[in-house]
Amino acid sequence: MDYQELWKAALGEIELAVPRPSFITWFKETSVSGISEGTITIAVPNGFAKEWLQSKYNKFIIRALRNVTEDKVREITYVIGKYPQGSVENKPKERSPKTRPLVSPNDEMQLKDLQVNPETGLNPRYTFENFIVGSFNELANGAARAVVQNLGLAYNPLFIFGGVGLGKTHLIQAIGNEVIKNHGSKVRCVTSEKYMGEIVEALSNQTINQLKERYRKVDLLIMDDIQFIARTEKMQEEFFHTFNVLYQQNKQIIISSDRPPSAIPTLESRLRSRFEGGCLIDIGEPDFETRVTILKAKANEKGIFLPEDVILHTAAVIKNNIRELEGALARLTLSARATSLPPTLEETKKILEQVTQAPKKFTSPKKVIRVVSDFYEIAEKELINPSRRKEIVKPRQIAMYILREELKCSYPFIGEKLGKKDHTTAIHACKKIDREMKTNADLQNEIKLIKEKIYSV
Ligand code: ADP
Ligand code: MG
């Protein structure tokens, strides 16, 4: 296989693992430019792409290359270099049937993306009208309403955080849509990942001033999933200046994140203090009654009837977040449409068993170690080798705790795997984290996020 064929095959795999907009942003104009002794060199168009691919997508790239080469790939190096004309296309069109899943998650994503207004970045389907409020999100909802009423004056910046699928994107987009509807203001909503892509593109087209201009003339800037911003200095720098320009003119800024500013590693302190100077609000998990309300409202919206026992059972077993409730509802709807009858409780149990049990089997000690080191932005080998650095202690204890809790690994195995410690160290770590979890809500949240990542593909 020559380099181009090889890279094309690898891209086919990567495309399945990475969200569509990110794939297009980060993998266009990349190529394989050299292979020697287990090291594959990838040429990328600029320094940002290099930093981003290295920090965020290295593992996908290595995995894909391992799958498509028979050789052992140990390492990837990234170089800034020219993309050979007329070689690999931006989007590989053919995939081997072997790697093509029946329903690609990307297909669904593209459909949703179609609705996004390219000017504002807002999706009209996210509104306050279809946002359900319960005790878990009423503070966030209240702050959001106040922001609409007093744009730039009430809570600035408004920083909303919480785990995946709990409605952060929905709520902040609803603010954007409402503000346009009521005041006709200029709104721009972007994910930090997309913002990064825009900066890269602007730099290579020499349109950075236009980009700055575009962001600095808005009345409301919404930055979704800001936790990724900390990965590159350039983006923090750019955002910091834009933030200040807007803030000084009393323009509104809204930010979402999967964790509070204090838990984003490598977030510059000047940005952190800006965020903490505004209004920080978290969205928790919906309780049972709220999950019932959500299911009923969403079934209603879809125009399907579900018996009470089916709703109660679904709300009882799907606990984590609203996205999963929607997923369960989609399965039940499918079954109802196929048979033209609402599912019975028995059928529901069967259907939901597939949903709730499927992800568990995909995790392994290796993955736990990878996710924990990713989360705390440290190298995997620091967790594995007997390093005593202070920053490593907590992540290592957390990794130990998760190996015990989730995978039921033995203490001697855990100690050996993480830092060549003996079993008493592992026992001590697990007890310590278990104790701390009881009183420390931030720690609970971090571990929850890590678990979500461990079980996601
Ligand atoms: P997050 O950004 O926190 O990961 P999303 O905003 O993407 O979560 O929400 C996941 C899904 O759940 C979306 O389809 C969203 O419309 C729906 N959803 C979340 N919260 C609510 C809510 N309070 N009421 C109605 N639907 C919600
Ligand atoms: Mg979101």
Side-chain angles (χ1 to χ4, degrees), residues 168-170 224-225 256 323:
K168 302 182 296 296
T169 298
H170 189 137
D224 200 359
D225 283 330
S256 84
R323 187 170 298 147

Side-chain angles (χ1 to χ4, degrees), residues 219-417:
D219 304 305
L220 166 59
L221 175 62
I222 304 172
M223 177 72 66
D224 200 359
D225 283 330
I226 203 155
Q227 66 271 14
F228 300 120
I229 206 175
R231 304 215 177 199
T232 70
E233 271 171 35
K234 175 69 191 170
M235 186 159 71
Q236 297 206 46
E237 174 82 27
E238 208 34 64
F239 183 67
F240 181 73
H241 290 303
T242 295
F243 183 102
N244 284 342
V245 169
L246 292 174
Y247 187 79
Q248 276 153 17
Q249 303 170 354
N250 286 334
K251 305 294 188 188
Q252 179 73 44
I253 300 144
I254 300 174
I255 296 162
S256 84
S257 168
D258 68 354
R259 55 193 107 163
S262 57
I264 306 177
T266 65
L267 181 67
E268 282 182 23
S269 59
R270 55 183 189 170
L271 266 181
R272 178 170 305 152
S273 58
R274 288 286 190 286
F275 297 165
E276 285 172 347
C279 173
L280 294 184
I281 295 188
D282 70 328
I283 298 188
E285 288 166 16
D287 59 19
F288 175 74
E289 275 74 32
T290 313
R291 297 199 295 276
V292 171
T293 312
I294 291 173
L295 283 169
K296 286 185 175 165
K298 298 217 175 241
N300 218 359
E301 216 174 273
K302 280 168 164 262
I304 74 154
F305 168 77
L306 295 175
E308 187 75 9
D309 56 355
V310 163
I311 296 220
L312 295 181
H313 176 75
T314 309
V317 295
I318 310 283
K319 301 187 195 130
N320 293 335
N321 64 55
I322 299 163
R323 187 170 298 147
E324 285 179 13
L325 283 176
E326 287 184 339
L329 193 62
R331 296 277 189 118
L332 297 175
T333 309
L334 216 61
S335 142
R337 297 243 159 92
T339 57
S340 305
L341 281 175
T344 63
L345 182 58
E346 279 316 300
E347 284 160 354
T348 303
K349 284 184 179 162
K350 272 209 197 93
I351 293 170
L352 297 186
E353 229 162 66
Q354 295 162 8
V355 182
T356 49
Q357 286 179 357
K360 287 268 173 188
K361 55 177 187 267
F362 290 119
T363 208
S364 64
K366 223 171 139 178
K367 187 156 183 198
V368 171
I369 291 169
R370 194 173 69 221
V371 170
V372 171
S373 36
D374 251 21
F375 189 87
Y376 293 104
E377 296 188 359
I378 53 180
E380 271 179 51
K381 59 175 190 295
E382 296 209 72
L383 277 192
I384 294 167
N385 295 338
S387 151
R388 282 181 174 277
R389 269 179 54 208
K390 217 176 107 238
E391 305 86 276
I392 308 302
V393 175
K394 180 181 148 195
R396 190 186 278 145
Q397 287 176 338
I398 287 177
M400 288 179 162
Y401 172 82
I402 292 176
L403 287 181
R404 182 69 189 175
E405 285 293 301
E406 297 296 304
L407 294 175
K408 313 287 174 230
C409 298
S410 75
Y411 289 119
F413 172 87
I414 295 172
E416 173 58 31
K417 258 266 159 319

Side-chain angles (χ1 to χ4, degrees), residues 25-26 30 44-54 78 196 200:
T25 306
W26 300 111
T30 56
V44 300
N46 53 52
F48 281 150
K50 180 175 166 191
E51 202 171 336
W52 199 252
L53 288 175
Q54 215 157 24
Y78 298 87
M196 181 70 199
V200 171

